[in-house]
Amino acid sequence: PASGLSPGFDGCGSGTTRFAAEVARFHRITVAYLVLRHPERVRVLDEHGFSSLVKSEAYLEEDVFDADPWDVYDRFFKGEDE
């Protein structure tokens, strides 16, 4: 490749494959989507920061950090997501 990097690597020197980096990015986008669609989660994030959001999610039955991004994606595009 023109960049001089081996194909499939993200260039960070960590050896992370591009695929793994994109999966992690997809997961972060899913978390952001799930947080932003619930006013209470947005309030916690705005008023107390990310670390408080992580702590508050530990007490919920459906923790956004444990959500399956592919399931969220499927439900969204099937129109099943409220």
Side-chain angles (χ1 to χ4, degrees):
S3 67
L5 299 173
S6 299
F9 285 87
D10 64 5
C12 296
S14 64
T16 302
T17 65
R18 189 172 298 148
F19 177 76
E22 292 302 321
V23 168
R25 182 173 178 236
F26 183 50
H27 187 264
R28 288 190 306 271
I29 291 168
T30 301
V31 169
Y33 167 74
L34 292 172
V35 169
L36 293 174
R37 65 188 301 258
H38 287 93
E40 180 61 20
R41 287 177 171 140
V42 172
R43 186 192 65 75
V44 170
L45 181 62
D46 287 346
E47 292 179 9
H48 305 287
F50 185 77
S51 61
S52 292
L53 176 65
V54 172
K55 290 176 187 173
S56 71
E57 286 295 307
Y59 296 101
L60 299 175
E61 187 174 322
E62 292 188 26
D63 180 346
V64 296
F65 299 103
D66 290 332
D68 178 0
W70 298 108
D71 183 47
V72 173
Y73 176 88
D74 285 343
R75 284 185 289 133
F76 179 84
F77 284 104
K78 288 180 180 176
E80 298 171 355
D81 206 17
E82 301 175 3

